[in-house]
Amino acid sequence: MVVIKRNPDRFLRELKKHYDLVMRIPSSEYLRNPDFVVVDPKTGKKIKVSFVTLDDGEFAGVVYDETS
């Protein structure tokens, strides 16, 4: 897991510009072990982000959720 220190809201906007499918799914199994966590150094707000791929390796989308 990688930690990125940046504004999470701005980071999500950037993801949405580049990927067609970016969804907030709090109970997603993909978020149990996220690809990275974005942390706002000023407020401490965090989001977990994972890239979702199909069994054949085809990219399906991005899922995220906020953490406390």
Side-chain angles (χ1 to χ4, degrees):
M1 176 178 54
V2 175
V3 176
I4 300 172
K5 294 183 179 180
R6 189 168 177 197
N7 181 315
D9 296 324
R10 183 173 179 193
F11 188 82
L12 283 175
R13 281 194 306 270
E14 292 293 323
L15 274 179
K16 290 176 182 177
K17 284 183 185 177
H18 299 285
Y19 296 100
D20 293 331
L21 189 59
V22 178
M23 300 178 296
R24 181 173 184 236
I25 305 176
S27 60
S28 174
E29 290 292 321
Y30 293 102
L31 295 175
R32 287 184 185 252
N33 188 17
D35 291 321
F36 50 92
V37 176
V38 182
V39 179
D40 188 334
K42 294 179 184 176
T43 65
K45 180 180 176 181
K46 301 176 189 177
I47 58 168
K48 297 185 286 185
V49 180
S50 288
F51 291 100
V52 179
T53 55
L54 304 176
D55 291 337
D56 63 358
E58 185 78 23
F59 176 76
V62 179
V63 295
Y64 72 94
D65 189 31
E66 297 177 6
T67 62
S68 56

